[in-house]
Amino acid sequence: MNSNPNVPPPFGVYTPLVTFFHEDESLDLESISKHVLRMAEGKVAGLVIQGSNGEAPHLLHDERKLLVATVKRTLTENGFPGIKLIVGCGAASVRETLLYLSEAREAGADYGLILPPAYWTAGMSAPVIEKFYRDVASSAVMPFLIYNFPGVTGGIDISSDSIISLAKENPAIVGVKLTCGNVGKLQRVASALPGGQFAALAGKSDFCLPALVAGSHGVIAALANLVPKLHSELLRLYEAGDLKAAIELQSKLSNADWALLKSGVAGVKKTVAENFGYGCGKSRRPLGNGPAEVAAEVSGPIDLVVALEKSLS
């Protein structure tokens, strides 16, 4: 067990990194390193590796270890050792989840991020899911966050009651990523658990500002792959009490987030490549490549926030 398992990740912006591949579907470590540095320069508090946007189900164990080690080395060698690494470690069994946690820790991770098991969806009642997390927490080599994303778990949606009780009982559970978009759930969790011991995090740019009002510890946002500085700016505006400017920026981020969702994970990578000059829109099959053409209603909101990102010093 980690010697200090009840310290949550710090408040801030976390980018769930996309994983760049070459045309032959091998890891493009050069583009990944360039992406990591741009995120670091965008003042993110941390990086989420091997999440949904990182195509975790498509990566082998050795590739996962190499990826984490590459990100850690890139940050350290370029003067960003304080940026936290949260690594996706969810699996269908407690045994493999613990193995992923161990491998990620050895490669340089600070925290794990764990989806509920979803293969046997019909059998995943609340008690079964809670026991899964308790069993993982009892043997975990590092602290971790619960990952609630019904869209990738066959509709499994962990309740605030389960999250709160698990966090209170298990010091290794230090946060939750709520991609479900339920701000009421975030409010209940944040109000029930001390901020110094638990981080309830919004899981999308789309509701970042409302989530901050509800007690979010920051945001884990796919759109930050494009515009990390804008997300950092939104948090700054909120903390400074400039609600009018924060609402205006949130509107732009919400529209861009919705547009980006329509292009898929490969589309995120293609948009990064087109605007920042590294990587390509290649994903491992069956996801395929980014769209050949992007409709104006998709490109317009994204172009707007990219232009704003590039205008920030």
Side-chain angles (χ1 to χ4, degrees):
M1 181 72 70
N2 186 282
S3 60
N4 193 14
N6 61 346
V7 177
F11 177 86
V13 175
Y14 291 79
T15 305
L17 291 181
V18 291
T19 301
F20 289 102
F21 299 106
H22 294 294
E23 288 298 330
D24 65 356
E25 298 189 9
S26 61
L27 290 174
D28 180 358
L29 295 177
E30 181 180 357
S31 293
I32 290 167
S33 293
K34 290 180 179 179
H35 194 50
V36 166
L37 285 179
R38 190 169 67 83
M39 295 302 106
E41 291 163 358
K43 300 180 180 180
V44 299
L47 301 171
V48 177
I49 311 169
Q50 296 157 19
S52 304
N53 282 277
E55 300 178 55
H58 300 166
L59 299 173
L60 306 176
H61 278 265
D62 286 347
E63 291 175 324
R64 288 177 177 234
K65 290 187 287 185
L66 175 60
L67 187 55
V68 176
T70 298
V71 172
K72 184 70 172 181
R73 183 176 64 253
T74 299
L75 291 170
T76 301
E77 291 179 351
N78 289 276
F80 298 102
I83 290 180
K84 301 299 182 182
L85 299 186
I86 303 174
V87 177
C89 295
S93 68
V94 171
R95 186 181 182 89
E96 189 172 25
T97 299
L98 290 171
L99 177 60
Y100 277 135
L101 282 167
S102 179
E103 291 173 344
R105 181 65 169 172
E106 290 174 5
D110 298 293
Y111 302 92
L113 178 67
I114 300 178
L115 284 165
Y119 184 86
W120 306 106
T121 307
M124 292 300 106
S125 63
V128 170
I129 290 172
E130 289 174 12
K131 186 175 188 306
F132 165 80
Y133 281 112
R134 285 197 300 270
D135 288 347
V136 171
S138 68
S139 300
V141 296
M142 65 177 171
F144 65 88
L145 290 75
I146 294 169
Y147 187 6
N148 189 53
F149 189 3
V152 297
T153 55
I156 294 172
D157 191 6
I158 307 171
S159 71
S160 56
D161 292 342
S162 291
I163 295 167
I164 292 166
S165 64
L166 283 167
K168 287 182 175 180
E169 296 167 8
N170 302 278
I173 300 175
V174 296
V176 62
K177 179 191 178 189
L178 294 171
T179 309
C180 55
N182 189 329
V183 178
K185 180 185 294 185
L186 193 152
Q187 178 90 63
R188 292 189 294 275
V189 171
S191 63
L193 300 167
Q197 296 180 17
F198 193 84
L201 285 151
K204 281 177 62 65
S205 308
D206 195 34
F207 60 98
C208 181
L209 182 58
L212 290 172
V213 174
S216 181
H217 203 62
V219 64
I220 302 175
L223 184 61
N225 280 285
L226 286 177
V227 290
K229 293 178 184 177
L230 279 190
H231 287 80
S232 298
E233 175 66 3
L234 179 62
L235 267 60
R236 187 194 69 79
L237 290 170
Y238 172 74
E239 291 191 299
D242 192 347
L243 192 58
K244 182 178 180 180
I247 291 171
E248 184 178 345
L249 179 53
Q250 176 63 69
S251 178
K252 293 180 175 66
L253 292 174
S254 291
N255 286 321
D257 194 42
W258 180 242
L260 194 65
L261 181 66
K262 298 173 185 177
S263 67
V265 173
V268 176
K269 291 188 279 191
K270 182 177 181 181
T271 306
V272 169
E274 291 174 345
N275 286 281
F276 299 99
Y278 57 82
C280 68
K282 181 73 176 180
S283 286
R284 281 186 172 166
R285 291 166 289 179
L287 288 187
N289 298 330
E293 295 183 8
V294 179
E297 62 266 23
V298 173
S299 62
I302 294 173
D303 291 344
L304 175 60
V305 295
V306 168
L308 287 172
E309 175 81 6
K310 291 181 176 181
S311 73
L312 294 175
S313 59

